[in-house]
PDB file of all heavy atoms in Angstrom:
ATOM      1  N   GLY A 989       8.900   0.778  19.244  1.00  0.00           N
ATOM      2  CA  GLY A 989      10.458   0.950  19.007  1.00  0.00           C
ATOM      3  C   GLY A 989      11.078  -0.307  18.731  1.00  0.00           C
ATOM      4  O   GLY A 989      12.210  -0.638  19.039  1.00  0.00           O
ATOM      5  N   ILE A 990      10.250  -1.247  18.201  1.00  0.00           N
ATOM      6  CA  ILE A 990      10.881  -2.652  17.985  1.00  0.00           C
ATOM      7  C   ILE A 990      11.878  -2.639  16.790  1.00  0.00           C
ATOM      8  O   ILE A 990      12.641  -3.576  16.629  1.00  0.00           O
ATOM      9  CB  ILE A 990       9.851  -3.736  17.647  1.00  0.00           C
ATOM     10  CG1 ILE A 990       8.941  -3.396  16.582  1.00  0.00           C
ATOM     11  CG2 ILE A 990       8.964  -3.973  18.977  1.00  0.00           C
ATOM     12  CD1 ILE A 990       7.801  -4.490  16.173  1.00  0.00           C
ATOM     13  N   HIS A 991      11.892  -1.694  15.898  1.00  0.00           N
ATOM     14  CA  HIS A 991      12.759  -1.467  14.859  1.00  0.00           C
ATOM     15  C   HIS A 991      12.746  -0.064  14.383  1.00  0.00           C
ATOM     16  O   HIS A 991      11.799   0.678  14.729  1.00  0.00           O
ATOM     17  CB  HIS A 991      12.721  -2.505  13.797  1.00  0.00           C
ATOM     18  CG  HIS A 991      11.431  -2.346  12.901  1.00  0.00           C
ATOM     19  ND1 HIS A 991      10.459  -3.128  12.822  1.00  0.00           N
ATOM     20  CD2 HIS A 991      11.246  -1.383  11.805  1.00  0.00           C
ATOM     21  CE1 HIS A 991       9.574  -2.752  11.861  1.00  0.00           C
ATOM     22  NE2 HIS A 991      10.018  -1.771  11.388  1.00  0.00           N
ATOM     23  N   HIS A 992      13.719   0.327  13.680  1.00  0.00           N
ATOM     24  CA  HIS A 992      13.804   1.706  13.130  1.00  0.00           C
ATOM     25  C   HIS A 992      14.253   1.630  11.643  1.00  0.00           C
ATOM     26  O   HIS A 992      14.750   0.545  11.264  1.00  0.00           O
ATOM     27  CB  HIS A 992      14.698   2.608  13.867  1.00  0.00           C
ATOM     28  CG  HIS A 992      14.325   2.606  15.337  1.00  0.00           C
ATOM     29  ND1 HIS A 992      13.434   3.627  15.800  1.00  0.00           N
ATOM     30  CD2 HIS A 992      14.742   2.005  16.409  1.00  0.00           C
ATOM     31  CE1 HIS A 992      13.223   3.488  17.094  1.00  0.00           C
ATOM     32  NE2 HIS A 992      14.051   2.502  17.468  1.00  0.00           N
ATOM     33  N   VAL A 993      14.041   2.628  10.855  1.00  0.00           N
ATOM     34  CA  VAL A 993      14.448   2.535   9.446  1.00  0.00           C
ATOM     35  C   VAL A 993      15.915   2.268   9.400  1.00  0.00           C
ATOM     36  O   VAL A 993      16.430   1.323   8.505  1.00  0.00           O
ATOM     37  CB  VAL A 993      14.140   3.933   8.709  1.00  0.00           C
ATOM     38  CG1 VAL A 993      14.638   3.851   7.358  1.00  0.00           C
ATOM     39  CG2 VAL A 993      12.542   4.107   8.654  1.00  0.00           C
ATOM     40  N   VAL A 994      16.746   2.992  10.135  1.00  0.00           N
ATOM     41  CA  VAL A 994      18.143   2.608  10.309  1.00  0.00           C
ATOM     42  C   VAL A 994      18.458   2.743  11.788  1.00  0.00           C
ATOM     43  O   VAL A 994      17.802   3.441  12.400  1.00  0.00           O
ATOM     44  CB  VAL A 994      19.143   3.580   9.504  1.00  0.00           C
ATOM     45  CG1 VAL A 994      18.933   3.377   7.938  1.00  0.00           C
ATOM     46  CG2 VAL A 994      18.836   5.091   9.813  1.00  0.00           C
ATOM     47  N   THR A 995      19.460   2.079  12.217  1.00  0.00           N
ATOM     48  CA  THR A 995      19.724   2.237  13.626  1.00  0.00           C
ATOM     49  C   THR A 995      21.125   3.037  13.865  1.00  0.00           C
ATOM     50  O   THR A 995      21.982   2.714  12.966  1.00  0.00           O
ATOM     51  CB  THR A 995      20.035   0.705  14.184  1.00  0.00           C
ATOM     52  OG1 THR A 995      18.775   0.085  13.986  1.00  0.00           O
ATOM     53  CG2 THR A 995      20.274   0.846  15.817  1.00  0.00           C
ATOM     54  N   GLY A 996      21.147   3.895  14.773  1.00  0.00           N
ATOM     55  CA  GLY A 996      22.326   4.568  14.976  1.00  0.00           C
ATOM     56  C   GLY A 996      22.158   6.137  14.897  1.00  0.00           C
ATOM     57  O   GLY A 996      21.152   6.510  15.239  1.00  0.00           O
ATOM     58  N   GLU A 997      23.165   6.707  14.446  1.00  0.00           N
ATOM     59  CA  GLU A 997      23.156   8.193  14.589  1.00  0.00           C
ATOM     60  C   GLU A 997      22.061   8.977  13.905  1.00  0.00           C
ATOM     61  O   GLU A 997      21.388   9.911  14.341  1.00  0.00           O
ATOM     62  CB  GLU A 997      24.549   8.709  13.855  1.00  0.00           C
ATOM     63  CG  GLU A 997      24.756  10.172  13.980  1.00  0.00           C
ATOM     64  CD  GLU A 997      25.974  10.634  13.259  1.00  0.00           C
ATOM     65  OE1 GLU A 997      26.765   9.747  12.838  1.00  0.00           O
ATOM     66  OE2 GLU A 997      26.289  11.811  13.260  1.00  0.00           O
ATOM     67  N   PHE A 998      21.585   8.360  12.652  1.00  0.00           N
ATOM     68  CA  PHE A 998      20.497   9.036  12.020  1.00  0.00           C
ATOM     69  C   PHE A 998      19.118   8.304  12.172  1.00  0.00           C
ATOM     70  O   PHE A 998      18.296   8.488  11.364  1.00  0.00           O
ATOM     71  CB  PHE A 998      20.802   9.054  10.493  1.00  0.00           C
ATOM     72  CG  PHE A 998      22.200   9.887  10.227  1.00  0.00           C
ATOM     73  CD1 PHE A 998      23.310   9.137   9.881  1.00  0.00           C
ATOM     74  CD2 PHE A 998      22.167  11.111  10.366  1.00  0.00           C
ATOM     75  CE1 PHE A 998      24.467   9.890   9.625  1.00  0.00           C
ATOM     76  CE2 PHE A 998      23.256  11.906  10.169  1.00  0.00           C
ATOM     77  CZ  PHE A 998      24.539  11.270   9.753  1.00  0.00           C
ATOM     78  N   GLN A 999      19.005   7.616  13.295  1.00  0.00           N
ATOM     79  CA  GLN A 999      17.729   6.784  13.553  1.00  0.00           C
ATOM     80  C   GLN A 999      16.570   7.723  13.527  1.00  0.00           C
ATOM     81  O   GLN A 999      15.524   7.397  12.804  1.00  0.00           O
ATOM     82  CB  GLN A 999      18.047   6.086  14.823  1.00  0.00           C
ATOM     83  CG  GLN A 999      16.770   5.283  15.310  1.00  0.00           C
ATOM     84  CD  GLN A 999      17.101   4.544  16.606  1.00  0.00           C
ATOM     85  OE1 GLN A 999      17.997   3.778  16.572  1.00  0.00           O
ATOM     86  NE2 GLN A 999      16.399   4.823  17.599  1.00  0.00           N
ATOM     87  N   THR A1000      16.579   8.800  14.402  1.00  0.00           N
ATOM     88  CA  THR A1000      15.334   9.468  14.562  1.00  0.00           C
ATOM     89  C   THR A1000      15.086  10.334  13.190  1.00  0.00           C
ATOM     90  O   THR A1000      13.937  10.387  12.747  1.00  0.00           O
ATOM     91  CB  THR A1000      15.544  10.611  15.597  1.00  0.00           C
ATOM     92  OG1 THR A1000      15.849   9.852  16.809  1.00  0.00           O
ATOM     93  CG2 THR A1000      14.358  11.467  15.779  1.00  0.00           C
ATOM     94  N   LEU A1001      16.139  10.869  12.538  1.00  0.00           N
ATOM     95  CA  LEU A1001      15.907  11.550  11.233  1.00  0.00           C
ATOM     96  C   LEU A1001      15.258  10.606  10.182  1.00  0.00           C
ATOM     97  O   LEU A1001      14.335  10.923   9.540  1.00  0.00           O
ATOM     98  CB  LEU A1001      17.220  12.078  10.793  1.00  0.00           C
ATOM     99  CG  LEU A1001      17.190  12.797   9.399  1.00  0.00           C
ATOM    100  CD1 LEU A1001      16.226  14.056   9.374  1.00  0.00           C
ATOM    101  CD2 LEU A1001      18.577  13.194   8.907  1.00  0.00           C
ATOM    102  N   ALA A1002      15.875   9.392  10.031  1.00  0.00           N
ATOM    103  CA  ALA A1002      15.291   8.341   9.110  1.00  0.00           C
ATOM    104  C   ALA A1002      13.867   8.006   9.381  1.00  0.00           C
ATOM    105  O   ALA A1002      13.012   7.929   8.484  1.00  0.00           O
ATOM    106  CB  ALA A1002      16.105   7.143   9.118  1.00  0.00           C
ATOM    107  N   ASP A1003      13.570   7.882  10.716  1.00  0.00           N
ATOM    108  CA  ASP A1003      12.108   7.506  11.069  1.00  0.00           C
ATOM    109  C   ASP A1003      11.233   8.681  10.700  1.00  0.00           C
ATOM    110  O   ASP A1003      10.031   8.486  10.288  1.00  0.00           O
ATOM    111  CB  ASP A1003      12.087   7.229  12.478  1.00  0.00           C
ATOM    112  CG  ASP A1003      12.717   5.859  12.939  1.00  0.00           C
ATOM    113  OD1 ASP A1003      12.911   5.115  12.118  1.00  0.00           O
ATOM    114  OD2 ASP A1003      12.859   5.697  14.138  1.00  0.00           O
ATOM    115  N   ILE A1004      11.681   9.924  10.968  1.00  0.00           N
ATOM    116  CA  ILE A1004      10.824  11.062  10.585  1.00  0.00           C
ATOM    117  C   ILE A1004      10.635  11.110   9.101  1.00  0.00           C
ATOM    118  O   ILE A1004       9.538  11.485   8.630  1.00  0.00           O
ATOM    119  CB  ILE A1004      11.283  12.364  11.199  1.00  0.00           C
ATOM    120  CG1 ILE A1004      11.138  12.238  12.732  1.00  0.00           C
ATOM    121  CG2 ILE A1004      10.702  13.599  10.631  1.00  0.00           C
ATOM    122  CD1 ILE A1004      11.902  13.336  13.609  1.00  0.00           C
ATOM    123  N   LEU A1005      11.738  10.926   8.413  1.00  0.00           N
ATOM    124  CA  LEU A1005      11.662  11.003   6.862  1.00  0.00           C
ATOM    125  C   LEU A1005      10.698   9.946   6.375  1.00  0.00           C
ATOM    126  O   LEU A1005      10.034  10.167   5.367  1.00  0.00           O
ATOM    127  CB  LEU A1005      13.045  10.922   6.328  1.00  0.00           C
ATOM    128  CG  LEU A1005      13.947  12.050   6.516  1.00  0.00           C
ATOM    129  CD1 LEU A1005      15.378  11.722   6.050  1.00  0.00           C
ATOM    130  CD2 LEU A1005      13.364  13.354   5.768  1.00  0.00           C
ATOM    131  N   PHE A1006      10.731   8.788   7.039  1.00  0.00           N
ATOM    132  CA  PHE A1006       9.819   7.699   6.683  1.00  0.00           C
ATOM    133  C   PHE A1006       8.308   8.238   6.754  1.00  0.00           C
ATOM    134  O   PHE A1006       7.426   7.868   5.888  1.00  0.00           O
ATOM    135  CB  PHE A1006      10.045   6.463   7.573  1.00  0.00           C
ATOM    136  CG  PHE A1006       9.341   5.271   7.099  1.00  0.00           C
ATOM    137  CD1 PHE A1006       9.855   4.466   6.116  1.00  0.00           C
ATOM    138  CD2 PHE A1006       8.117   4.788   7.678  1.00  0.00           C
ATOM    139  CE1 PHE A1006       9.351   3.171   5.688  1.00  0.00           C
ATOM    140  CE2 PHE A1006       7.629   3.622   7.327  1.00  0.00           C
ATOM    141  CZ  PHE A1006       8.009   2.813   6.368  1.00  0.00           C
ATOM    142  N   LEU A1007       8.022   8.856   7.853  1.00  0.00           N
ATOM    143  CA  LEU A1007       6.617   9.349   7.992  1.00  0.00           C
ATOM    144  C   LEU A1007       6.325  10.440   6.969  1.00  0.00           C
ATOM    145  O   LEU A1007       5.185  10.600   6.545  1.00  0.00           O
ATOM    146  CB  LEU A1007       6.503   9.937   9.459  1.00  0.00           C
ATOM    147  CG  LEU A1007       6.534   8.881  10.573  1.00  0.00           C
ATOM    148  CD1 LEU A1007       6.468   9.550  11.956  1.00  0.00           C
ATOM    149  CD2 LEU A1007       5.458   7.955  10.476  1.00  0.00           C
ATOM    150  N   ILE A1008       7.253  11.429   6.780  1.00  0.00           N
ATOM    151  CA  ILE A1008       7.051  12.346   5.811  1.00  0.00           C
ATOM    152  C   ILE A1008       6.842  11.820   4.449  1.00  0.00           C
ATOM    153  O   ILE A1008       5.981  12.272   3.717  1.00  0.00           O
ATOM    154  CB  ILE A1008       8.266  13.460   5.868  1.00  0.00           C
ATOM    155  CG1 ILE A1008       8.287  14.257   7.110  1.00  0.00           C
ATOM    156  CG2 ILE A1008       8.205  14.426   4.643  1.00  0.00           C
ATOM    157  CD1 ILE A1008       9.444  15.037   7.293  1.00  0.00           C
ATOM    158  N   PHE A1009       7.614  10.831   4.074  1.00  0.00           N
ATOM    159  CA  PHE A1009       7.485  10.167   2.789  1.00  0.00           C
ATOM    160  C   PHE A1009       6.065   9.556   2.752  1.00  0.00           C
ATOM    161  O   PHE A1009       5.316   9.644   1.705  1.00  0.00           O
ATOM    162  CB  PHE A1009       8.505   9.100   2.540  1.00  0.00           C
ATOM    163  CG  PHE A1009       8.367   8.351   1.246  1.00  0.00           C
ATOM    164  CD1 PHE A1009       8.545   8.934   0.076  1.00  0.00           C
ATOM    165  CD2 PHE A1009       8.232   6.870   1.253  1.00  0.00           C
ATOM    166  CE1 PHE A1009       8.379   8.276  -1.110  1.00  0.00           C
ATOM    167  CE2 PHE A1009       8.137   6.309   0.034  1.00  0.00           C
ATOM    168  CZ  PHE A1009       8.114   6.954  -1.110  1.00  0.00           C
ATOM    169  N   GLY A1010       5.522   9.009   3.864  1.00  0.00           N
ATOM    170  CA  GLY A1010       4.183   8.386   3.800  1.00  0.00           C
ATOM    171  C   GLY A1010       3.150   9.508   3.652  1.00  0.00           C
ATOM    172  O   GLY A1010       2.166   9.367   2.926  1.00  0.00           O
ATOM    173  N   ALA A1011       3.318  10.663   4.266  1.00  0.00           N
ATOM    174  CA  ALA A1011       2.437  11.830   4.126  1.00  0.00           C
ATOM    175  C   ALA A1011       2.441  12.247   2.622  1.00  0.00           C
ATOM    176  O   ALA A1011       1.432  12.650   2.095  1.00  0.00           O
ATOM    177  CB  ALA A1011       2.695  12.941   5.029  1.00  0.00           C
ATOM    178  N   LEU A1012       3.546  12.372   2.038  1.00  0.00           N
ATOM    179  CA  LEU A1012       3.678  12.739   0.615  1.00  0.00           C
ATOM    180  C   LEU A1012       2.961  11.750  -0.319  1.00  0.00           C
ATOM    181  O   LEU A1012       2.321  12.200  -1.255  1.00  0.00           O
ATOM    182  CB  LEU A1012       5.172  12.921   0.206  1.00  0.00           C
ATOM    183  CG  LEU A1012       5.894  14.107   0.911  1.00  0.00           C
ATOM    184  CD1 LEU A1012       7.396  14.080   0.517  1.00  0.00           C
ATOM    185  CD2 LEU A1012       5.260  15.449   0.447  1.00  0.00           C
ATOM    186  N   LEU A1013       3.208  10.477   0.085  1.00  0.00           N
ATOM    187  CA  LEU A1013       2.441   9.419  -0.850  1.00  0.00           C
ATOM    188  C   LEU A1013       0.922   9.657  -0.588  1.00  0.00           C
ATOM    189  O   LEU A1013       0.300   9.546  -1.759  1.00  0.00           O
ATOM    190  CB  LEU A1013       2.803   8.036  -0.261  1.00  0.00           C
ATOM    191  CG  LEU A1013       4.167   7.527  -0.646  1.00  0.00           C
ATOM    192  CD1 LEU A1013       4.425   6.242   0.122  1.00  0.00           C
ATOM    193  CD2 LEU A1013       4.306   7.350  -2.224  1.00  0.00           C
TER     194      LEU A1013
END
Side-chain angles (χ1 to χ4, degrees):
I990 58 175
H991 70 255
H992 302 277
V993 175
V994 293
T995 303
E997 183 180 356
F998 300 107
Q999 176 175 303
T1000 302
L1001 177 62
D1003 287 348
I1004 291 171
L1005 289 175
F1006 190 82
L1007 292 175
I1008 291 171
F1009 181 60
L1012 290 174
L1013 285 170

